[in-house]
Amino acid sequence: MTTRTEERRPAQKPAQRRGGRGGATIRRGIFPAVLYAVLAILILLPIALVVLSAFTDSPPRPGNINLTGLTLENFRTVFGPGTGQAAVNSLIVGVGSSVLALLIGGFLAFITARTNVYAKGFLYFVGLVPMFLPSYVGALAWAVLGGPNAGLINILARDLGLPQLVDIFNIGGLIFVLALYYAPYAFLLIHSSLSLMSPDLEEAARIHGATPGRVLRRVTLPLALPAILGAGILIFVLTVENFPVSQIIGSAGGLDTLPTYIYRLMNSAPSRANEAAAVAITLVLIVLVVTAIQRRIVSKRSFTTVSGKGMKLGVVGLGWFRAPALIIGILYFTLSAVLPIAALLFVTLHDSPYIGSVVGAFADGRLSLDMFADTLSSDLVLRATMNSVIVAVAAALIGTILAFVISYVVNRTKLPGKEGLGYVSMLPLAVPSIVLGLGLLWTWLIMPLPVYGTLLVLIIAFVAAQMPQGYQGASSSILQVHADLEDSAVMHGASRWRAVSKITVPLLRVPLTSTFLLLLMLSMRELTVPLFLFTTDTRLISIVIFDDFENGILQRSAATSLVYCVVIFILAFFSQKVGAKQKNV
């Protein structure tokens, strides 16, 4: 009789088992730790340096971060009359421009989504076209149009024997210009809400005898409230933190907002950087408080109206108002695009920077193409345009890749600490651009890497500032593709990296391309973030436009603005073509 002897492995000691698990946990935590380190340098460190500077008596310098000279003296500026008036102005401008932009964008959204207005396709285009004209270019054009003495509208009025008609350099003018160029945000959000809304409740109200106006007030608008509030808060935040429009329109009228006040503190001699940091914290707090209020209001009710049934939205007949609605849309198009571009073109074509008569310029043949020729052959403009394209393409590419990696870790893995990556990625939404730019300046001055003064620091800054948009775009894309396809490839022997590169990424080609194009357009339009980071050799075309206007070189600023708009339009055109090709593949 034979007996089988079984070989037994020696039992693993509890300490060894714990060590193995601990080693696996450490290995799994390495990749999130690397991502946290990247986001810390991009986002957390700049914000932390702004906060630190607000409580110290000297700003961060290379080789020296002051942790001993803690003080609250900087906040005396916050409670001083200058900051107080700037804060009041910012709130007035934010509320006023938000309300006006909501009225404009909401009106265009409603008539194009739910009515029988004439030329509906054209009016939809009208709602979007101001997005191709950066707000500071629009502000520059309206400064040319509406200046109290040398504004083209007032010069034309004098030609016709009329009194002065316009003065744009006041708080009303600032609200007007900001509303013109932020109304498209309201248009897009509200139009989407109205287009997806279930018609059942509206139809029920009509059956029970409600008039069209009552249905609109009691059913349609309340159901669209989340979109309206979301658009209002977004526009409020963007206008409160807007620097270039406030500087172009407000500075001429002696009007400060918090961003322009921060800029003045930084550019004073000597620089009052620590006080600027304290004021910057005030601006961040305003943004956070308003955002929290909006979330609280929306969370109190359910607004879900989209169902799985096919929906046929009711069309509201405008009756006699069809033509006036079209005229209102054309008026907005004229004010936001036609007049500004015509003003920039007229200033560029005029043979002298001094314009005494609009009518006389045409009658006396005082228009020429010389300034266009000079601008297009200018080394400064050509180099700035090339810098802008390089920085925008690189920032969009790096930003899309980084956003995809982070959103993949957050949405598709069980790696430790993944949730925090999403929160950090969204943090720049709560930090105004001028504050983030200030923090990025100090970050890359103290970092032991020689990137300050190069295009690389601008690329890094744009990636940091646009991380929320990139992360949102990549996350929404990943959530649309089920994980089973990728997991099946892994089960059949493919590595996770190979499954992602061969299955997930190709399936996300269209949305990731859209994210890249969004970041590209945002980078081309950006002015505030690089304001403290550029040097003589790294000027972007937006910086050239702003500097020329600030220095009184109005004709070249106008000509460069037109070149800038053409570049943005070309990029948008090719973006649309690429997007269309991707969708057809």
Side-chain angles (χ1 to χ4, degrees):
M1 187 175 187
T2 61
T3 60
R4 184 185 302 172
T5 60
E6 295 182 0
E7 293 184 7
R8 294 184 179 180
R9 294 181 181 179
Q12 193 177 34
K13 295 180 180 179
Q16 291 176 322
R17 289 198 297 269
R18 287 196 298 271
R21 287 198 298 269
T25 302
I26 291 174
R27 289 192 295 272
R28 292 178 69 243
I30 290 176
F31 191 56
V34 171
L35 293 178
Y36 271 112
V38 172
L39 292 179
I41 295 173
L42 284 177
I43 299 170
L44 296 180
L45 183 56
I47 297 173
L49 289 177
V50 172
V51 175
L52 176 65
S53 298
F55 292 95
T56 57
D57 54 12
S58 62
R61 293 186 177 91
N64 178 29
I65 300 179
N66 186 3
L67 297 176
T68 58
L70 299 179
T71 179
L72 294 176
E73 287 295 315
N74 299 317
F75 288 90
R76 286 191 175 185
T77 302
V78 173
F79 297 103
T83 305
Q85 188 59 55
V88 170
N89 291 340
S90 291
L91 289 173
I92 293 173
V93 167
V95 172
S97 55
S98 298
V99 170
L100 184 55
L102 282 175
L103 290 174
I104 297 170
F107 174 78
L108 289 173
F110 177 72
I111 63 173
T112 54
R114 304 298 300 274
T115 75
N116 63 343
V117 68
Y118 293 120
K120 187 179 294 187
F122 168 72
L123 289 177
Y124 185 87
F125 169 76
V126 166
L128 296 177
V129 74
M131 300 191 80
F132 297 106
L133 197 68
S135 60
Y136 51 89
V137 173
L140 188 153
W142 271 101
V144 170
L145 281 166
N149 296 315
L152 295 181
I153 293 176
N154 293 319
I155 293 174
L156 180 60
R158 286 201 299 269
D159 290 344
L160 301 176
L162 300 174
Q164 176 181 308
L165 298 177
V166 181
D167 182 3
I168 204 73
F169 298 135
N170 51 53
I171 197 165
L174 181 54
I175 290 172
F176 169 76
V177 173
L178 285 170
L180 284 181
Y181 296 101
Y182 284 101
Y185 294 89
F187 171 76
L188 285 172
L189 291 172
I190 298 174
H191 187 281
S192 176
S193 175
L194 292 173
S195 299
L196 293 173
M197 189 178 296
S198 172
D200 293 346
L201 295 176
E202 293 177 324
E203 188 61 32
R206 292 190 192 97
I207 291 173
H208 286 82
T211 63
R214 188 173 179 82
V215 172
L216 176 64
R217 292 192 307 272
R218 302 300 296 272
V219 179
T220 307
L221 291 181
L223 289 176
L225 184 60
I228 295 171
L229 282 176
I233 295 302
L234 174 63
I235 295 169
F236 177 87
V237 170
L238 292 174
T239 52
V240 162
E241 70 173 49
N242 184 285
F243 164 75
V245 176
S246 299
Q247 180 69 10
I248 291 170
I249 301 298
S251 61
L255 180 72
D256 259 332
T257 61
L258 285 175
T260 60
Y261 193 62
I262 293 169
Y263 181 73
R264 283 208 300 114
L265 290 173
M266 284 295 295
N267 284 345
S268 61
S271 176
R272 300 163 63 185
N274 297 92
E275 295 171 65
V279 177
I281 291 177
T282 304
L283 183 55
V284 173
L285 289 176
I286 290 175
V287 171
L288 291 176
V289 168
V290 173
T291 305
I293 292 173
Q294 180 256 352
R295 289 181 177 176
R296 185 176 179 84
I297 293 173
V298 173
S299 65
K300 288 183 177 180
R301 290 180 55 190
S302 173
F303 299 89
T304 303
T305 62
V306 179
S307 64
K309 299 182 297 180
M311 296 184 299
K312 184 177 181 181
L313 295 174
V315 175
V316 178
L318 293 179
W320 64 269
F321 194 65
R322 290 182 75 188
L326 176 60
I327 292 171
I328 293 173
I330 294 173
L331 177 62
Y332 172 65
F333 180 56
T334 302
L335 293 175
S336 62
V338 177
L339 272 180
I341 292 175
L344 295 176
L345 187 61
F346 180 82
V347 170
T348 302
L349 295 177
H350 200 269
D351 62 0
S352 168
Y354 306 103
I355 301 171
S357 171
V358 174
V359 175
F362 291 96
D364 301 336
R366 301 198 60 182
L367 303 181
S368 73
L369 294 173
D370 292 346
M371 181 51 65
F372 260 132
D374 292 344
T375 301
L376 293 175
S377 61
S378 168
D379 290 338
L380 173 64
V381 174
L382 293 177
R383 185 168 63 250
T385 303
M386 184 60 65
N387 288 344
S388 293
V389 173
I390 292 172
V391 169
V393 171
L397 181 60
I398 296 171
T400 302
I401 294 172
L402 180 60
F404 171 76
V405 172
I406 292 173
S407 59
Y408 182 87
V409 169
V410 172
N411 294 293
R412 284 289 177 84
T413 72
K414 297 181 180 179
L415 295 176
K418 64 173 186 173
E419 291 82 4
L421 292 171
Y423 292 117
V424 177
S425 297
M426 296 300 295
L427 193 57
L429 276 182
V431 182
S433 298
I434 197 165
V435 178
L436 187 61
L438 189 61
L440 287 164
L441 167 68
W442 288 330
T443 297
W444 294 103
L445 281 175
I446 66 174
M447 290 289 286
L449 297 173
V451 300
Y452 184 78
T454 68
L455 291 179
L456 181 58
V457 73
L458 298 177
I459 295 171
I460 293 170
F462 285 3
V463 171
Q466 292 153 17
M467 182 54 63
Q469 292 87 345
Y471 175 75
Q472 284 181 322
S475 292
S476 62
S477 304
I478 287 176
L479 293 174
Q480 291 174 0
V481 177
H482 204 284
D484 288 351
L485 296 173
E486 185 182 310
D487 292 340
S488 297
V490 173
M491 291 177 62
H492 284 79
S495 65
R496 179 64 61 178
W497 163 248
R498 183 173 178 82
V500 171
S501 61
K502 296 296 184 181
I503 296 177
T504 306
V505 172
L507 288 174
L508 296 177
R509 181 174 62 248
V510 173
L512 288 180
T513 301
S514 299
T515 300
F516 168 81
L517 296 174
L518 171 64
L519 299 185
L520 177 67
M521 295 301 295
L522 290 174
S523 298
M524 281 298 300
R525 295 163 58 94
E526 184 58 59
L527 168 64
T528 309
V529 170
L531 200 61
F532 299 122
L533 298 171
F534 77 93
T535 63
T536 304
D537 296 327
T538 60
R539 277 181 288 197
L540 306 178
I541 190 169
S542 57
I543 297 294
V544 171
I545 293 169
F546 181 75
D547 278 351
D548 282 348
F549 180 81
E550 288 284 285
N551 294 322
I553 312 174
L554 186 58
Q555 279 190 297
R556 191 172 72 181
S557 181
T560 309
S561 296
L562 291 172
V563 172
Y564 187 35
C565 291
V566 170
V567 172
I568 290 178
F569 179 80
I570 291 173
L571 286 175
F573 176 78
F574 281 108
S575 299
Q576 184 184 22
K577 290 294 184 183
V578 171
K581 287 182 179 179
Q582 292 283 348
K583 290 179 181 178
N584 292 329
V585 171

